């Protein structure tokens, strides 16, 4: 016979092949869409009382009344209460799979029962009917009459019992009487075995009072006991109440739950992670109260057959992607598996249901797991271990247990937590960050500061954000905004946006939202995406009764964990339109770049993964992670302006949608999505698009554009039936299904919140692939579009095998096109095809190598041209400018333009030189990078292609940019030239002529700083004030000057400042010596006679002066300011002495001339100007005399041959010396 | 030489070096007239220097203040900083000969501040940079020096950026900054803010060598990427092999 699985499949895909639905089948298409939700809700409801473990699995809402009453209930709340309440409320609504968009269609048996009395519409009735039919077929099978329970039988009955048919034969079930015959367990009238008869579920007393039924899946806000507690915990409590185990609820446990609620509220108020959507994180804890896990017993399972059939049906729904979120269902199944339940309620005959006890639940769960073994076997190793070691599975299905053990032993899958990248800064890159990238010096310097401020903020956040009471906005808000103002003033937003984005990627690209030091908050949605962690955690929870451990449920909203929080808060605090815009630009660009990553598919089961494959995987993972991160932030920014705290009203929605339908999307995700489907790159593109869309505001899903995006995603979801095939690897599909399931779950709640009645998302979701036209109707009346979609999908499905089809053709066929004569179009096409064919049978690494070489060589070529040709031109321009700038310091920019114009012509050489460069370097690189064994022919072709691509890249850039580049470089040089023009430049030039240390210099000379210090000490003593007996030893001075000479000769440690200081200090010292102000002690000729002593002293000083003169002349590279000896201050030293001695001064004058340090004329003019200063009359006279003597001596004798010690004709004291 | 903070404080207290305060500045301005009378009596007497000593004020700073006042009275306008600096560097430019001598006496006698001391500090800094360069060359660590970086247009430049990062005592470093001074709290904080963090922001973690020692407690950013040493490190691990001494 045909199994129920097959019949369901056929039923659900009746119209799959058809573009239109046959008239007769119209009601069935409606049936189809109602069936799955019905089944899911049925399961949730049936298990509601037994399941008290873990967070609620999103499923449904009791009925529309509840929602409405919850809304009114919510509106009475105030402030924080409201917020918390809202979260709970929307939690329940979010968790609804099939909420009441259409008030009439309520899927719960309960509601149906009630609705029935009011009279249902046909669609609803039809839905119920299918369920009943299936129920019937279940029973039939059970009866061993399964053969007839085939498709035809079901159909027949369906057609017999029309939607409006109210009458049924008395011996048949009154199918419309749902009070007597609840769905799924209906049709029991057909069975002959009363013992196995599935009793209709009587309406319980509480339900008859129209109280919404309490079920674990949702927390109706209207229910007062439940409303007090966060979802999940309340259920337990409530379940206990229902069971009458009130005693088990002690005051302390209530208190505990209140505490948890408080905590929850606190975390809600603290965590602004989703500004518009409440946080649904669920602090699930399993209380370690008296409740004991019931031991599941196979022998106690009742209605096995039905359970088996249900499990098959359910599994089929999962396998065929008829459920909105596969992982949610698996989560649910594991919940059932691990349910603690309560003691069997066999005595409670009134409440008999399929899932009345733990045994049945576990049996069902094990059945489903058995069917879904393939998916299960891909679970992460840890989870597999837990499953394999689960004693329930072991006792209920030894076969499954054995398979799980085997799967566990061979599994290598781990939740891949990449090494947390250490927090680092974004490195400074001169190409993008140096002065030439900024419009002005000011902008450059402002940005310099901003970079530092940014990191300062980051460090501060890092240090403090986890401290209690620390508030981002309060502490950093104003500083961020001040920074934004500066950015705006300097037009630096693009630079900062780039820095911001790079830092974001650097810190957050790992699956953990940053390094471990940034708080151990695992990226829950990544883990959820992988689908395993929660399951395993839940399992562990159950096993160990760990309390309390935070579980966020299987479908957490998007969050910004770890250091992503910093960036999110930064954006919010900055509140800068300009910044956001630049950041979006930057994000879009990066996303497009990464999305274009070359994907190389590998044979799925390749055995040992070779190096290439591993690299490929790493690259892919990195790209995927980064894309998801960037897309999340892009989504955050794009939808930020439209976010509202409260779900907006329907009126608002209409006008908003009308308005926003007029604008273009920031990033054309629809196009990218379509391309990815066409190119079979969904594995890379879908996850980030999902991330982007997870942040939509309330209205966005209703926009035409995003509607199309969602519908395409939905089609994709439907296509990806999980099974091993050649089209796509199982894991890839799993990933896509996981992320899509997550997104759909999110959207449902968003839509449910908005309370839109017409928007029947569930209709598509429950509709199989064939419903293309239907989506067209719902979303866009554009039929062309759906046609195109079908084509897209067809190509997706019918694509070639994995081996050669996977990668995108990134190498563009335009190689060197512009540089050579253009071949005909067909020729070109042929060439392209040949090139593709060439790569086709080569290992993928060849293509990568060629692409890589082309990219690098092209880029190096440009750099080379810059460093050679352009640099040369700039040098020439410098010479030209230097000449012209001297003759006329008129219009600089005009001058610049003129000079540049002369260079442009030669700039044209760049193309030629560039081509040369590529031709030379490309093959070299390819040869080095390809394996030695590569055949000559392959090598040649690879080289040619690489050269072509590189040339194309380089020359395209050069031809468009060379003139601008020349101009920029010349201008920079010119500006530098203008700035440094002056004496400093010339002194550098003169220095440049010398060549450092003397040969064989050991660099053992004293350090300049040491010598300066010592001279300073001498000056100190000379200038005073000093003690009577203080002085400087002659030998010390002598030695100092010798060491000064050594120091100046060794250039190693010399710097201009040191040398200039030495020059100045020595001139000062000379002045003090000349005026005999240095208290020299320890003069060698120790005679008592005064004249002798004086002569000796003078000779000694002369010796020192001679040394100084020689050092000045020989050892200094920098000009020595000897003119300072004629300054008012220094000549004043002589003037202050009562017994003036001029011969030392004269000696110095001649020395200066003799050493060529000053010219005669120069000295004369210095002396002359000295005489113009204000002096005492006698001093002035002496000065005049000296001046006269110097001049006369100079004119009388040959300066060079004149002995310096020669006695001159003095006056006064000077005369006395002779 | 590394000092613990406690040790450093003890020394600082012993030296009795008190930071010049606003109060002493006010006292100083009151006494300015004394300079004139003092100088009138004896132009050669070290009036200004003694004044500075009296109010416990760095002589070169005293000279600056007096010179400012002098120029202000003479010109009638507040003199520019560059002019003052230039005159302090070369007192010969000071129009008043007596004051020139006094100022020069102050700057020459000052061991902590003033153009001469600044220059010595600069020279020492330069010399240690050269020494460090030698050591890097000796260890075969290729680097980009400040001048090269500046030519490339870097906005903040440490003394050396290693072209290939190395690990010092287990910490990866990208740059080395040489400081020919003692790293006390005050100067280190200023350096952190103006230089070290800026380098980190651009080039990642790095090493600071305080050749004249530092307060041990300041070496607290190792994990974050700023390492302090008082000598050239011996425990260097390069990309390929270890050059550790032991």
């Amino acid at each position: 016979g045909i199994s129920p699985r097959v019949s369901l499949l056929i039923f659900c895909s009746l119209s799959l092949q058809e573009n239109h639905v046959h008239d007769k089948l119209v009601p069935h298409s409606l049936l189809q869409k109602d069936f799955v939700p019905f089944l899911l809700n049925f399961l949730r409801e049936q298990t509601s009382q037994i399941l008290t473990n873990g967070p609620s699995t999103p499923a449904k809402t009791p009925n529309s009344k509840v929602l409405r009453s919850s809304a009114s209930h919510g509106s009475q709340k105030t402030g924080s209460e409201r917020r918390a309440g809202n979260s709970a409320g929307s939690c329940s609504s979010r968790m609804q799979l099939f909420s009441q968009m259409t008030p009439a269609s309520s899927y719960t048996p309960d509601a149906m029962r009630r609705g029935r009395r009011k009279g249902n519409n046909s669609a609803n009735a039809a839905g119920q009917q299918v369920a009943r039919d299936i129920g019937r077929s279940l029973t039939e099978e059970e009866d061993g009459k399964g053969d007839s329970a085939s498709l035809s039988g079901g159909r027949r009955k369906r057609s017999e019992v029309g939607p409006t048919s109210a009458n049924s034969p008395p011996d048949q079930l009154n199918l419309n009487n749902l009070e007597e015959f609840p769905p799924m367990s209906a049709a029991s009238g057909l069975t002959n075995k009363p013992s196995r008869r599935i009793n209709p579920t009587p309406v319980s007393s509480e339900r008859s009072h129209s109280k919404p039924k309490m079920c674990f899946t949702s927390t109706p806000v209207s229910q007062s006991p439940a409303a007090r507690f966060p979802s999940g915990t309340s259920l337990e409590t409530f379940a206990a109440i229902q069971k009458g185990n009130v005693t088990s609820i002690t005051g302390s446990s209530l208190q505990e739950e209140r505490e948890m609620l408080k905590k929850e509220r606190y975390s809600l108020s603290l965590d602004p992670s989703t500004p518009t959507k409440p946080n649904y994180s669920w602090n699930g804890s399993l209380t370690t109260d008296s409740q004991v896990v019931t031991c599941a017993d196979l022998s106690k399972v009742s209605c096995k057959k039905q359970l088996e059939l249900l499990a098959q049906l359910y599994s089929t729904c999962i396998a065929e992607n008829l459920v909105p979120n596969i992982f949610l269902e698996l989560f649910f199944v594991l919940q059932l598996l691990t349910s603690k339940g309560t003691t069997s309620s066999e005595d409670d005959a009134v409440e008999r249901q399929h899932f009345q006890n733990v045994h049945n639940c576990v049996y069902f769960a094990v059945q489903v797991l058995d069917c879904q073994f393939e998916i299960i076997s891909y679970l992460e190793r840890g989870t597999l271990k837990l499953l394999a070691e689960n004693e329930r599975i072991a006792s209920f299905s030894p076969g499954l247990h054995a398979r799980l053990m085997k799967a566990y032993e061979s599994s290598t899958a781990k939740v891949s937590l990449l090494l947390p990248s250490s927090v680092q800064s974004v490195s400074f890159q001169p190409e993008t960050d140096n002065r030439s990238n900024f419009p002005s010096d000011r902008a450059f310097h402002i940005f310099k500061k901003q970079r530092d401020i940014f990191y300062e903020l980051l460090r501060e956040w890092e240090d403090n954000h986890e401290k209690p009471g620390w508030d981002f906005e309060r502490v950093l808000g104003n500083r961020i905004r001040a920074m934004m103002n500066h950015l705006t003033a300097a037009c630096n937003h693009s630079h900062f946006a780039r820095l911001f984005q790079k830092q974001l990627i650097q810190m957050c690209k790992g699956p953990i939202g940053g390094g471990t030091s940034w708080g151990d908050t695992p990226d829950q949605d990544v883990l959820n995406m992988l689908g395993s962690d929660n399951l395993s955690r839940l399992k562990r929870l159950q096993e160990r009764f760990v309390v309390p451990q935070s579980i966020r449920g299987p479908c957490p909203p998007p969050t910004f964990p770890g250091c992503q929080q910093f960036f999110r808060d930064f954006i919010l605090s900055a509140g800068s339109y300009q910044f956001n815009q630049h950041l979006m630009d930057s994000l879009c660009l990066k996303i497009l770049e990464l999305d274009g990553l070359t994907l190389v598919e590998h044979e799925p089961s390749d055995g040992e993964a070779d190096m290439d494959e591993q690299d490929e995987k790493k690259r892919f993972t990195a790209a995927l992670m980064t894309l998801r991160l960037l897309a999340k932030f892009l989504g955050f920014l794009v939808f930020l302006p439209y976010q509202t705290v409260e779900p907006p009203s329907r009126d608002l929605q209409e006008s908003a949608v009308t308005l926003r339908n007029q604008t273009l999307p920031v990033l054309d995700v629809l196009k990218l999505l379509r391309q990815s489907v066409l190119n079979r790159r969904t594995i890379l593109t879908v996850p980030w698009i999902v991330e982007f869309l997870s942040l939509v505001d309330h209205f966005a899903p209703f926009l035409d554009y995003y509607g199309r995006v969602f519908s395409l995603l939905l089609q994709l979801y439907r296509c990806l039936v999980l099974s091993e095939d050649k089209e796509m690897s199982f894991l890839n599909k799993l990933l896509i299904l996981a992320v899509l399931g997550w997104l759909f779950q999110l959207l449902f709640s968003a839509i449910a919140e908005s309370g839109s009645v017409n928007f029947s998302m569930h209709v598509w979701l429950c509709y199989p692939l064939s419903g293309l036209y239907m989506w067209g109707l719902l979303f866009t009346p554009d039929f062309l579009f759906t046609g195109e979609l079908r084509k897209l999908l067809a190509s997706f499905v019918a694509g070639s095998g994995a081996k050669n089809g996977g990668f995108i053709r990134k190498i563009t066929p335009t190689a060197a096109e512009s540089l050579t004569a253009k071949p005909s179009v067909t020729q070109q096409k042929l060439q392209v095809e040949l090139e593709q064919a060439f790569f086709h049978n080569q290992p993928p690494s060849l293509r990568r190598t060629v692409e890589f070489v082309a990219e690098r060589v092209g880029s190096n070529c440009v750099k080379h041209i810059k460093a050679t040709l352009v640099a040369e031109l700039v040098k020439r321009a410098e010479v030209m400018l230097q000449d012209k700038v001297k003759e006329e310091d008129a219009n600089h920019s005009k001058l610049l333009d003129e000079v540049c114009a002369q260079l442009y012509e030669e700039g044209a050489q760049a193309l030629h030189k560039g081509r040369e460069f590529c031709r030379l370097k490309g093959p070299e690189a390819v040869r080095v990078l390809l394996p030695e064994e590569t055949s000559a022919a392959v090598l040649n072709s690879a080289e040619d292609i690489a050269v072509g691509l590189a040339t194309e890249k380089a020359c395209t850039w050069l031809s468009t940019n060379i003139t601008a580049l020349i101009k920029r470089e010349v201008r920079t040089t010119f500006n530098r030239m203008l700035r440094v023009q002056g004496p400093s430049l010339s002194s550098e030039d003169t220095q440049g002529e010398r060549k450092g240390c003397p040969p064989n210099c050991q660099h053992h000379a004293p350090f300049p700083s040491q010598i300066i210090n010592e001279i300073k000490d001498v000056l100190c003593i000379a200038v005073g004030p000093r003690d009577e007996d203080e002085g400087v030893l002659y030998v010390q001075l002598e030695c100092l000057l010798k060491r000064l000479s050594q120091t100046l000769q060794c250039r190693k440690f010399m710097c201009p400042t040191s040398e200039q200081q030495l020059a100045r200090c020595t001139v000062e010292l000379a002045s003090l010596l000349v005026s005999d102000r240095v208290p020299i002690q320890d003069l060698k000729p120790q005679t008592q006679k005064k004249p002798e002593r004086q002569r000796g002293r003078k000779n000694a000083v002369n010796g020192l002066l001679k040394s100084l003169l020689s050092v000045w002349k020989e050892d200094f590279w920098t000009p020595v300011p000897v003119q300072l000896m004629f300054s008012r201050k220094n000549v004043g030293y002589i003037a202050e002495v009562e017994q003036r001695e001029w011969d030392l001064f004269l000696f110095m004058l001649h020395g200066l001339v003799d050493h060529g340090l000053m010219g005669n004329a120069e000295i004369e003019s210095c002396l002359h100007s000295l005489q113009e200063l204000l002096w005492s009359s006698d001093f002035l006279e002496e000065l005049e005399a000296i001046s006269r003597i110097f001049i006369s001596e100079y004119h009388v004798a040959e300066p060079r041959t004149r002995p310096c010690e020669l006695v001159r004709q003095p006056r006064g004291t000077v005369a006395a010396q002779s | 030489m590394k000092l613990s903070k406690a040790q450093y404080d003890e020394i600082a207290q012993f030296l009795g070096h008190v930071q010049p305060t606003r109060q002493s500045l006010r006292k100083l301005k009151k006494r300015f007239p004394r300079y004139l009378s003092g100088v009138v009596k004896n132009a050669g007497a070290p009036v200004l220097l003694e004044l500075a000593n009296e109010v416990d004020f760095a002589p070169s700073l005293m000279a600056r203040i007096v010179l400012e006042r002098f120029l202000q009275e003479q010109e009638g306008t507040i003199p520019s900083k560059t002019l003052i600096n230039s005159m302090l560097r070369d007192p010969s430019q000071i129009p008043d000969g007596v004051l020139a001598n006094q100022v020069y006496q102050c700057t020459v006698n000052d061991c902590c501040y003033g153009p001469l001391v600044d220059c010595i500090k600069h020279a020492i800094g330069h010399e240690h940079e050269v020494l460090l360069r030698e050591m890097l060359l000796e260890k075969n660590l290729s680097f980009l020096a400040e001048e090269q970086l500046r030519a490339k247009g870097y906005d903040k430049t440490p003394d050396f950026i290693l072209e290939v990062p190395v690990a010092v005592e287990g910490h990866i470093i990208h740059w080395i900054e040489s400081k020919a001074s003692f790293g006390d709290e005050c100067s280190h904080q200023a350096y952190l803010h103006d230089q070290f963090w800026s380098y980190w922001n651009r080039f990642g973690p790095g090493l600071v060598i305080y050749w004249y020692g530092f307060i041990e407690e300041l070496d607290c950013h190792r994990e974050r990427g700023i390492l302090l040493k008082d000598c050239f490190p011996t425990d260097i691990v390069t990309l390929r092999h270890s050059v550790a001494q032991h």
Side-chain angles (χ1 to χ4, degrees), chain A residues 424-426 455 499-507 567:
Chain A
Q424 281 220 347
S425 58
V426 172
Y455 284 107
L499 176 70
F500 188 87
Q501 181 190 301
K502 280 187 176 174
Q503 190 65 39
L504 172 70
I505 294 175
Q506 199 139 317
M507 282 169 67
F567 295 92

Side-chain angles (χ1 to χ4, degrees), chain A residues 423-428 430 434 444 448 451-452 455-456 459 462-463 1007-1009 1012-1013 1016 1019-1020 1023-1025 1052-1055 1057-1058 1061 1064-1065 1068 1124 1127 1129 1133 1136, chain B residues 46 49 89-92 97 100-101 104-105 108-111 116-117 119-120 122-124 126-127 130-131 134 152-156 174 193 197-198 200-205 224:
Chain A
V423 181
Q424 281 220 347
S425 58
V426 172
S427 88
F428 181 96
N434 74 11
F444 180 57
K448 177 169 82 178
R451 179 192 291 264
D452 289 331
Y455 284 107
E456 207 177 293
R459 275 190 290 269
E462 186 192 2
D463 289 341
F1007 285 155
S1009 59
I1012 300 174
N1013 215 359
K1016 177 178 174 284
L1019 292 175
C1020 260
V1023 169
K1052 185 158 180 164
F1053 296 96
M1054 191 59 72
C1055 68
T1057 349
S1058 307
Q1061 190 63 48
R1064 196 174 293 132
C1065 285
E1068 205 71 38
L1124 285 179
S1127 74
K1129 175 174 83 77
Y1133 288 144
E1136 280 163 28
Chain B
L49 185 65
R89 221 178 298 127
D90 177 14
S92 300
N101 281 334
Y104 190 69
Q105 196 170 40
V108 157
N109 275 291
D110 196 323
C111 334
L116 202 56
V117 175
C119 179
I120 292 171
H122 180 95
I124 295 176
H126 177 78
E127 288 151 19
V130 175
L131 287 171
E134 286 294 294
K152 283 189 176 184
Y154 283 84
D155 57 357
K156 289 261 186 173
H174 290 269
H193 183 266
W197 284 129
S198 293
W200 187 95
N201 297 342
R202 286 157 181 78
F203 315 111
R224 242 193 197 160

